[in-house]
Structures are given as structure tokens and as C-alpha cells.
Amino acid sequence: MFRIEAEKLLVGFVLAFIVAVDMLSTTMLGGLVPTIPSSISVLVSLCLLIRLIDIKKFSINYLIFAPLLLIVGFLVALETKNYRFLAYMILLVSLYDMDMDFILKVYSAVVIPFILGTVLLSLVHVIPNLQFIQIRNRGVVTRNSFGFIYPTDFASHCFYLYVALCYLNRNRFLITRSILGLGLAAFIIKFCDARLNAMSIVISILIFAFFYFNKNKHRMIFGILPVSILASSGIMYYLTKNFTWSSPFYVAVNNLVSMRLRLGNDALKTYAVRLFGNPEVKFIGYGGKTESVLDYNYVDSSYIQMLFFYGSVAVILLVILYLVRSWVIYRQGNYLILTLLSLITWNCMIEAFWIRPDYNIFFYILFASTTLGIASKNGRVE
């Protein structure tokens, strides 16, 4: 009992530290407090490796992927001189067989006060509520950041937190959760104009309602959900790589995704995609300021952005990992978490937060204990 509690204390501290440090950089508080170097995050995350000593049995795919993730993380750090990706990989590997609900609880305990505190500080003008005036088809809209560096950062935090809280309360409060979710989606649309995250919240409401009434019954469609990561990343890369102004189809899709195809295509023409990241890449966006950016070139799509920041080897490895672990989760019979993982892959076609623990904490449950305690279709739990 003491060992288990000590383990949770260690995991809770390290996970809270990594999430808090990462989240701090997405708020306007980042300019008021000293920046914590990514090397410190690596050292803190290394503490978690201690818990692996007491684990007696490891899955085959973990024994294959864990060393590869750590090696690639080290090579990316060596190439780019940025240790953030290495810290992420150590955290992912170190959470092996950890209770998923506990991970989500720690994440929620950090993110809830962070969001509320940041919003409150912006409302009392301690930190700025950046407002962006943009023209949409329906007219001029004002997008509020509520103390975060950009409206979509605030909206994405809300989306991932909402999904985490709903999963933790998946067997109760359906009506309350749904009403709050619809209200949150409406709020995000009205005050942030973050349409993707609002839509993602609404879809998640439908997903949770479906599983609430249908429990965990197997459906044939669940069998194709593991390939969502291949479809979403592959489609986004193909469309970005082949974008051309001469095609009405590509122009229409580009407009639908707010110029992301054009920006990604320009980046592919400007910077080389290397094996372990390109330190020469400089993406300039609006984050943290409202002044006009004449040389705006920020690439939002997770899959395209990561090609430049972490390299092709890292992206391919993570896509394969996500595919394999999604298949394992499918075989274990946790169809709800599988469906949520699938939803997130499509969200990350547009947003840049696929492996950011302060946003997508669900990426870090890939090696965690996600089984519902029931046998898989072949009679065993994998």
C-alpha cells in the first residue's frame, strides 16, 4: 500500500510539473515569471523512470517502442538543441501501466485552476486579454484570448479539459455534462470564434452520450478507428504537399481550414524536412501579441509542424505507435477511449497540440492501463 501511494505521489508531482511548466508558456503569465529551461523538464521526468524498476512484466510492443522513443528523443534534442521533445518521450515511456484515471485526475487538478486563474487575472487586467479582430464570412468578429497567448490556445485547453472531466465522470451526470458542454461550445464560438474546438466539444458530447446508453457494446466501426491516425496525418500531408492555387478543390479546402494548406506548403518549400528536426525553422504567428504580422508563416497542423520541429523519423514513429496502441486498446475492449483518441487525431489535423501534455493528455495514456478489466475478443487482456 505504501509503495503504491509513494508511486502515485511521484507520478503526480512529475506530471503536474510538466503540465504546469508547459501550460505556463501558453499564457500571458509567461512574460511575468522566469522561463524554466526544457532541460529541467527532462531531469524531472527522468525521476519517473524509477517506477519501472518495480514492474515485473512489460508488453512486447512496449519493449520495442520505449527504447526507440527515447533514442529518437535524444537525437532530436541533439540536433535541435531543444529538450522539450525528449522530456515528452520520457514522460510517455515512464507512465507505462499507470492508472489512466489517475493521470487524468492529476492533469485536471492542474489545468482547472490554471484556466480559472488565468481568465480571472485577465478580467482584472493583471495580464492582458488579447483581442483579435478578424473578418469572417458572417462579418467582423472579435476573438478573445482570456489571458492566453491566442484564442485557440484557450479554446483547446477547454476542449481537452472537458473531455478529460467527462471521461472521469463517464458513468454519471450525463445531462449536466451535456448542458455544460453545449454552453462551453457556444461560449467558445461567441467569444473566441474557435470553430474547430467548439465542434470537437459537441462531437465529444455525442460520443459520451452514445456510450452512456450503449455501454461498451462492440460495433464493427470500432475496428477501423485505430487507422484514424494514418488517415488524418496522411490526408493532411498529401493535401499540404500538393496544394496549388490552380485547383478549385484545393482552394476550397484551404479556405475551409483557414489557409493551413497554403502555409504548410510554403513551409515545405522554404525549409528542409530532416530526420531529427530542423533548428533553422522559424515560424512566426500572432501568439502573445495583437500587432499585425507581415511575415506570418505559422504552421498549425500538428503533423506538418512536427515534421519541421522534430523530424520525419519522430513523426513516423509516433504515428506507428499511435496506430499500434490504438489497436491494443481496441482489443482490450475500451471502445470509448479508442473513439476519443480517434476524435483527437482529426482535431490535430488543424491544431498543433498532438503531443503537448498541457493540452492533449490523452496522448500520454497510450502506455497506461486503459483496460476496463474485461477480456478482449480472443479471451485475454493485452
Side-chain angles (χ1 to χ4, degrees):
M1 178 63 71
F2 175 76
R3 187 192 68 78
I4 294 176
E5 293 304 319
E7 179 186 42
K8 285 188 173 183
L9 184 63
L10 174 63
V11 171
F13 169 75
V14 173
L15 183 58
F17 179 87
I18 299 297
V19 170
V21 169
D22 239 36
M23 195 167 185
L24 185 63
S25 67
T26 71
T27 74
M28 297 304 292
L29 289 167
L32 302 179
V33 297
T35 301
I36 299 178
S38 56
S39 56
I40 300 298
S41 295
V42 171
L43 294 176
V44 172
S45 61
L46 282 172
C47 297
L48 269 187
L49 293 176
I50 298 174
R51 64 176 295 271
L52 299 180
I53 297 175
D54 292 324
I55 299 178
K56 305 301 181 183
K57 186 177 181 180
F58 296 91
S59 67
I60 293 177
N61 59 66
Y62 178 82
L63 293 175
I64 294 173
F65 279 108
L68 291 175
L69 292 168
L70 295 177
I71 291 172
V72 171
F74 176 76
L75 292 175
V76 169
L78 199 64
E79 178 70 21
T80 64
K81 303 301 185 292
N82 187 318
Y83 299 95
R84 175 181 286 185
F85 183 74
L86 178 57
Y88 292 165
M89 294 304 100
I90 296 173
L91 179 64
L92 173 63
V93 168
S94 301
L95 291 176
Y96 177 78
D97 203 35
M98 192 65 202
D99 178 59
M100 178 178 60
D101 281 24
F102 178 75
I103 294 174
L104 296 179
K105 287 176 182 177
V106 173
Y107 162 83
S108 301
V110 174
V111 173
I112 289 174
F114 235 113
I115 291 180
L116 294 178
T118 301
V119 171
L120 178 61
L121 290 175
S122 73
L123 294 178
V124 298
H125 307 295
V126 174
I127 56 177
N129 169 27
L130 300 179
Q131 293 183 313
F132 299 82
I133 310 299
Q134 296 184 348
I135 300 176
R136 302 295 192 197
N137 292 332
R138 63 180 185 276
V140 178
V141 298
T142 300
R143 308 182 68 193
N144 296 272
S145 70
F146 295 108
F148 290 85
I149 60 176
Y150 200 66
T152 50
D153 287 81
F154 167 73
S156 291
H157 281 307
C158 291
F159 162 60
Y160 286 109
L161 176 61
Y162 176 78
V163 175
L165 291 175
C166 284
Y167 186 83
L168 290 172
N169 295 280
R170 55 194 176 275
N171 296 319
R172 55 182 182 172
F173 309 137
L174 174 66
I175 296 177
T176 302
R177 288 189 281 112
S178 300
I179 293 174
L180 290 176
L182 291 173
L184 179 61
F187 180 90
I188 288 174
I189 283 289
K190 179 173 178 58
F191 294 101
C192 305
D193 194 47
R195 294 158 292 175
L196 175 66
N197 286 298
M199 182 175 67
S200 297
I201 290 173
V202 172
I203 294 174
S204 72
I205 292 171
L206 298 176
I207 290 173
F208 282 111
F210 174 84
F211 281 94
Y212 184 86
F213 291 110
N214 291 273
K215 304 306 178 185
N216 205 54
K217 295 180 181 178
H218 179 265
R219 297 288 188 276
M220 289 186 62
I221 192 175
F222 297 149
I224 66 174
L225 292 183
V227 301
S228 295
I229 184 59
L230 289 179
S232 58
S233 60
I235 290 172
M236 194 62 191
Y237 179 78
Y238 179 85
L239 293 176
T240 302
K241 177 71 174 177
N242 295 285
F243 171 76
T244 173
W245 288 108
S246 62
S247 168
F249 169 75
Y250 279 103
V251 172
V253 175
N254 183 56
N255 292 333
L256 180 65
V257 297
S258 303
M259 305 299 291
R260 282 169 171 79
L261 297 188
R262 192 268 294 177
L263 291 168
N265 185 267
D266 288 348
L268 289 171
K269 293 177 180 177
T270 304
Y271 300 109
V273 175
R274 299 178 182 174
L275 294 178
F276 301 104
N278 187 343
E280 299 173 1
V281 172
K282 302 294 181 184
F283 289 146
I284 303 172
Y286 287 113
K289 56 184 179 296
T290 56
E291 295 82 4
S292 297
V293 179
L294 299 179
D295 50 351
Y296 183 95
N297 69 342
Y298 194 81
V299 175
D300 284 287
S301 171
S302 292
Y303 311 124
I304 306 302
Q305 185 188 97
M306 288 171 58
L307 282 174
F308 297 105
F309 285 165
Y310 308 132
S312 56
V313 173
V315 173
I316 292 172
L317 178 61
L318 292 180
V319 167
I320 296 174
L321 168 68
Y322 207 91
L323 171 66
V324 172
R325 292 306 301 173
S326 294
W327 177 253
V328 170
I329 291 171
Y330 167 71
R331 293 291 295 268
Q332 290 174 339
N334 193 336
Y335 305 127
L336 172 55
I337 199 67
L338 173 67
T339 307
L340 295 175
L341 289 174
S342 177
L343 169 63
I344 289 169
T345 64
W346 297 104
N347 179 281
C348 290
M349 285 180 66
I350 310 300
E351 300 293 355
F353 309 126
W354 187 35
I355 66 169
R356 293 283 298 273
D358 54 323
Y359 293 94
N360 181 21
I361 190 62
F362 289 91
F363 183 85
Y364 293 88
I365 58 92
L366 289 179
F367 283 128
S369 177
T370 58
T371 179
L372 293 176
I374 60 177
S376 62
K377 292 188 301 181
N378 62 359
R380 61 188 176 89
V381 175
E382 300 178 51

